[in-house]
Amino acid sequence: MAERSFKSEVKKLTAGAGEVFTGEGILAVTKGLLQSGVAYVGGYQGSPISHLMDVFADANDLLASLGVHFETSASEATAAAMLAASVNYPLRGAVTWKSVVGTNVASDALSNVASGGVKGGALIIVGEDYGEGSSIMQERTHAFAMKSQMWLLDPRPNLTSMVDAVEQGFRLSEASNTPVMLQLRVRSCHMTGSFIAKDNVRPAMTVGEAAAAPVRDLQRIVLPPANFQHEVEKIEKRWPAGIAYVRNNRLNEWFGQDSDTPEIGIIVQGGLYNNLNRAMELLDLADAYGGSRIAIYCLNVAYPLIPEEVSAFCAGKQAVLVIEEGQPEFIEHELNTLVRRADLQTRIVGKDMLPRSGEYSAAVIRDGLGKFLRAHAPHLAPAEAKPDPLPREVAMEIPQRPAGFCTGCPERPVFAAMKLVEKELGPTHVSADIGCHLFSILPPFDIGNTTMGYGLGAAGASAFKPKDKRAIAVMGDGGFWHNGLTSGIGNAVFNKDDTVTLIIDNGYSAATGGQDILSSRADNPVRATKNPIARAVQGVGAKWVRLVERTYDVAKMRDLLREAMTSSEKGPKVIVAQSECMLNKQRRVKREQGKVLANGGRVVRERFGVDSDTCTGDHACIRLSGCPSLTIKSNPDPLRQDPVTHVENSCVGCGLCGENAHAAILCPSFYRARIVSNPTGWEKFRQGWRARIVGWMQARDDRARMARAF
């Protein structure tokens, strides 16, 4: 299962010619693929393009009716290698993944397909996860497109432009025999809008038909001497063909050509156009519909640039502002080269007016545009805005909201156990990994020294071979199947690394939206699940392998970690810690309980609480757990000052707080309560008598206390 079902959205994908399609940007791109006659689709989920994968996973019947092959790839490298189908056959194929992290993983296959070239259209949809909402290193896809000479589309953020970019991307790829990258920013993927749909198109050739009539072309294989010819083809054939297609089909756009300020202009990446238009609105230089008082050249194709279009736009202008997000400023450098080659004296202005790093929001662009106008068009320039920082006293009232584990997360007890072992044996180097468990680097755990990439936790610890203290590597089940089995465990076995690897098996690729993976315990009608991680680890030669079937048993986790750290046995030690992702479990359980309640059935839920009279107020339980449901409240005892621990109603009854109290020998103030909906008659009768007896005893105690009062 994924974090949500897209069965209802899949129905929208059947829209025919002339119908108005309304939905999210990533859903529109999915429809664009089907309208383009795509033959196969693959990819690896990740923000912000997970929904594309999840929608296709829920559209099996529709895809089967069109003859489209879809699969969830084991990694981005697996997805990129699928594009081999377009090398010798007229098959349109699309693959997708998250931004530069995915492109890095896929780089080997991408370089090969870019070298040999393609016959069918090959589209690489990259979710550009850049800016304040990003969870990865701040880099851009642009550099890779330039390095391998693949064309990069960056369409304006509206559904019509994005769907057009999908369709034109395939045509551009076929016209120039070159893979095309389609960059979609976070806001583009999740914006809503509408466009006029077309009929879905069955691929001209299906993958089954291609497999039945195999074709072999030695000139497409990247081996000498063909690989030397590939470079020549790129420059002498594919590059001119790509330039010609972009120019002849006017994929880039012009706005405000009749402006009253011909001496200046703006060149902007397509994906930033909406933010630019909003910034110009705020400066009374544009309206909400794109009417601009300044000439704008919008680069829906960010690479390659079209020399004739650049020189035509810049001719006669004194200065042009380039709005290019991130660094290095590839577009600005290339524009300077093209302008000089055209013998134009136009000044190209970019990073000297705009920040060299960070996301270009409308406010950032507005400030940069203001600086540009004050320097080159003072009659349009706004008054210089004074900074309006948040008053210190107000800023101090805003609570910090660091990233952290969900309530009841099964990974939290693992790190609680690690803290207990650390208290006994002292700190050690901890190699972290991509995934939810990376939140352990933050308080209250403060665990984790480095993270090198998805599934590379064990590999990141391979250089540490201390004599008296073993390094610990942590990876999730998603990272394990993505890359960790070979790069981590296999590498550790081969090199006899004396390390401890902790694999957290929560049953899903939780960090990317809860998709099923090889080791998921769920039944999946179209995927093979229930393949144990422990068996795979043993299959590559690991000897010391232990399985914990319930991570919430903190004492057992602590003892097993201590054993792994102190064992006299050499070689890699692997612990597989299992418990279902609580977020996915709650989605499943609440849905099941809702059906039972709707039919009047009995449902029992567990909650934990803290006895305020017993709590000492030292809050060690909070420091060891960090659960969002644990907070504090005023002490009911007037003679005690310290606030007591309190469990909010968001508690899901995982029991970790009680386990921590037991394992760490904390105060026994936690209690477990059962909340029964639609109880039986016997339960009502029993609860009634309990209430009477407890009430009588409390009243008796109150009378006794009053008798002794003075």
Side-chain angles (χ1 to χ4, degrees):
M1 62 177 289
E3 63 181 1
R4 55 170 290 199
S5 171
F6 287 89
K7 291 292 186 182
S8 59
E9 282 83 353
V10 166
K11 297 175 183 177
K12 294 183 179 182
L13 298 179
T14 61
E19 294 184 48
V20 177
F21 185 102
T22 302
E24 275 191 316
I26 199 66
L27 189 65
V29 170
T30 308
K31 172 62 173 166
L33 292 172
L34 298 178
Q35 293 179 174
S36 301
V38 69
Y40 64 93
V41 180
Y44 194 84
Q45 61 274 357
S47 173
I49 48 77
S50 286
H51 287 176
L52 188 150
M53 300 297 297
D54 296 339
V55 168
F56 268 110
D58 284 341
N60 291 304
D61 294 340
L62 175 60
L63 299 180
S65 69
L66 292 171
V68 178
H69 172 71
F70 165 75
E71 65 179 55
T72 302
S73 306
S75 70
E76 296 87 352
T78 309
M82 287 183 71
L83 294 175
S86 294
V87 172
N88 293 320
Y89 305 93
L91 295 168
R92 286 187 169 182
V95 294
T96 184
W97 51 71
K98 171 180 176 172
S99 194
V100 292
V101 287
T103 305
N104 291 340
V105 174
S107 58
D108 197 3
L110 287 181
S111 293
N112 276 278
V113 75
S115 180
V118 294
K119 183 175 182 180
L123 192 65
I124 302 147
I125 301 171
V126 179
E128 194 78 344
D129 191 8
Y130 181 87
E132 65 179 13
S134 173
S135 60
I136 61 168
M137 72 289 290
Q138 295 297 272
E139 296 181 3
R140 298 162 59 205
T141 303
H142 199 116
F144 198 96
M146 294 174 63
K147 185 269 293 183
S148 291
Q149 289 182 282
M150 295 185 289
W151 317 143
L152 177 64
L153 306 185
D154 188 7
R156 286 195 295 136
N158 65 74
L159 268 57
T160 299
S161 294
M162 291 158 63
V163 172
D164 286 346
V166 172
E167 297 174 347
Q168 293 285 9
F170 281 120
R171 295 172 191 150
L172 172 60
S173 176
E174 291 162 347
S176 60
N177 304 114
T178 301
V180 172
M181 305 185 85
L182 173 61
Q183 173 179 299
L184 296 175
R185 298 157 193 268
V186 174
R187 289 185 174 86
S188 300
C189 290
H190 298 299
M191 67 182 295
T192 57
S194 61
F195 69 97
I196 304 302
K198 300 176 184 176
D199 289 333
N200 294 331
V201 177
R202 186 179 178 84
M205 173 184 280
T206 66
V207 290
E209 292 167 346
V215 175
R216 183 168 176 265
D217 184 357
L218 284 176
Q219 298 306 310
R220 298 302 105 212
I221 300 175
V222 187
L223 278 175
N227 58 314
F228 306 118
Q229 184 60 35
H230 292 167
E231 184 182 24
V232 177
E233 279 185 18
K234 282 184 177 182
I235 301 304
E236 295 184 357
K237 178 183 175 183
R238 300 184 209 167
W239 181 284
I243 292 283
Y245 186 90
V246 174
R247 181 186 62 240
N248 296 340
N249 289 275
R250 299 181 65 84
L251 300 190
N252 296 319
E253 297 177 277
W254 287 259
F255 301 94
Q257 287 295 88
D258 299 326
S259 68
D260 53 4
T261 55
E263 70 276 13
I264 61 170
I266 300 173
I267 297 178
V268 62
Q269 289 176 270
L272 294 176
Y273 174 82
N274 286 6
N275 285 0
L276 169 63
N277 194 74
R278 178 56 182 159
M280 295 179 70
E281 270 192 274
L282 296 173
L283 297 176
D284 294 325
L285 297 174
D287 58 35
Y289 303 99
S292 173
R293 295 176 60 189
I294 301 175
I296 299 173
Y297 177 37
C298 181
L299 298 176
N300 293 318
V301 181
Y303 180 80
L305 299 182
I306 313 303
E308 301 92 333
E309 292 182 357
V310 171
S311 58
F313 181 80
C314 293
K317 292 181 171 58
Q318 297 175 8
V320 169
L321 176 65
V322 182
I323 301 178
E324 174 186 11
E325 194 170 54
Q327 51 78 39
E329 52 269 44
F330 300 116
I331 296 176
E332 184 179 342
H333 290 166
E334 182 66 12
L335 286 171
N336 270 301
T337 299
L338 295 177
V339 166
R340 297 290 83 79
R341 284 178 180 171
D343 197 24
L344 299 175
Q345 303 309 307
T346 307
R347 181 178 178 185
I348 301 299
V349 180
K351 295 299 183 183
D352 46 348
M353 297 292 178
L354 288 156
R356 294 191 62 83
S357 62
E359 187 174 17
Y360 280 8
S361 64
V364 170
I365 294 177
R366 178 196 60 193
D367 294 342
L369 181 56
K371 294 179 184 177
F372 172 74
L373 293 175
R374 281 189 287 274
H376 300 283
H379 62 289
L380 292 179
E384 188 165 1
K386 296 181 179 180
D388 184 24
L390 201 62
R392 179 178 176 82
E393 58 273 13
V394 176
M396 293 180 65
E397 291 296 320
I398 300 176
Q400 296 184 23
R401 298 187 64 185
F405 298 106
C406 300
T407 300
C409 176
E411 302 184 13
R412 182 177 283 107
V414 174
F415 296 105
M418 288 180 69
K419 293 299 287 186
L420 293 174
V421 173
E422 182 183 88
K423 187 176 180 181
E424 294 180 35
L425 305 180
T428 187
H429 181 89
V430 177
S431 178
D433 206 321
I434 303 299
C436 299
H437 44 275
L438 195 56
F439 296 140
S440 65
I441 66 173
L442 301 173
F445 300 113
D446 298 304
I447 291 176
N449 298 68
T450 56
T451 175
M452 290 292 103
Y454 205 23
L456 293 176
S462 60
F464 293 92
K465 297 176 172 63
K467 296 181 179 179
D468 58 344
K469 193 173 293 185
R470 290 171 176 139
I472 300 176
V474 182
M475 74 171 77
D477 46 357
F480 173 81
W481 292 115
H482 179 275
N483 195 19
L485 176 59
T486 54
S487 298
I489 304 301
N491 180 75
V493 170
F494 182 69
N495 290 292
K496 298 182 179 180
D497 290 341
D498 194 19
T499 54
V500 177
T501 300
L502 183 56
I503 302 173
I504 300 178
D505 180 9
N506 61 26
Y508 308 89
S509 181
T512 60
Q515 294 84 3
D516 285 337
I517 51 179
L518 273 165
S519 52
S520 294
R521 269 80 76 191
D523 292 317
N524 192 312
V526 294
R527 302 285 182 267
T529 54
K530 303 180 182 179
N531 295 284
I533 289 177
R535 188 183 301 172
V537 170
Q538 291 167 334
V540 295
K543 305 299 183 185
W544 198 103
V545 182
R546 303 290 187 270
L547 178 65
V548 179
E549 295 183 348
R550 183 176 176 274
T551 63
Y552 297 102
D553 190 340
V554 177
K556 184 175 182 179
M557 283 296 311
R558 176 201 59 198
D559 295 344
L560 199 53
L561 277 166
R562 185 196 301 116
E563 179 188 348
M565 293 293 289
T566 58
S567 171
S568 60
E569 184 175 337
K570 300 300 181 183
K573 266 70 67 178
V574 181
I575 299 173
V576 181
Q578 293 181 328
S579 273
E580 184 179 7
C581 167
M582 185 57 72
L583 200 58
N584 276 295
K585 180 179 179 180
Q586 288 301 308
R587 292 184 182 119
R588 175 174 56 79
V589 169
K590 286 182 179 179
R591 186 166 56 248
E592 295 169 354
Q593 290 180 343
K595 292 179 181 178
V596 174
L597 289 172
N599 294 323
R602 176 179 177 273
V603 171
V604 179
R605 293 170 293 153
E606 287 191 345
R607 292 289 186 273
F608 279 75
V610 174
D611 185 346
S612 298
D613 293 327
T614 308
C615 178
T616 62
D618 70 345
H619 309 139
C621 52
I622 296 177
R623 292 192 296 274
L624 190 58
S625 170
C627 179
S629 67
L630 283 177
T631 183
I632 58 175
K633 70 175 184 179
S634 300
N635 200 314
D637 189 337
L639 299 180
R640 291 193 293 169
Q641 300 274 334
D642 295 329
V644 296
T645 300
H646 173 66
V647 182
E648 292 184 331
N649 197 42
S650 59
C651 171
V652 295
C654 71
L656 173 60
C657 45
E659 294 283 352
N660 276 338
H662 171 71
I665 318 176
L666 303 176
C667 62
S669 58
F670 286 93
Y671 65 83
R672 181 171 59 185
R674 298 167 70 245
I675 303 173
V676 182
S677 300
N678 297 327
T680 64
W682 166 246
E683 286 175 322
K684 292 178 181 179
F685 174 78
R686 185 176 57 186
Q687 181 62 26
W689 272 104
R690 283 177 174 172
R692 290 188 181 94
I693 294 172
V694 171
W696 176 80
M697 295 176 68
Q698 288 177 334
R700 182 196 61 185
D701 291 345
D702 288 342
R703 288 193 298 270
R705 279 194 295 270
M706 291 296 294
R708 294 191 296 270
F710 57 89

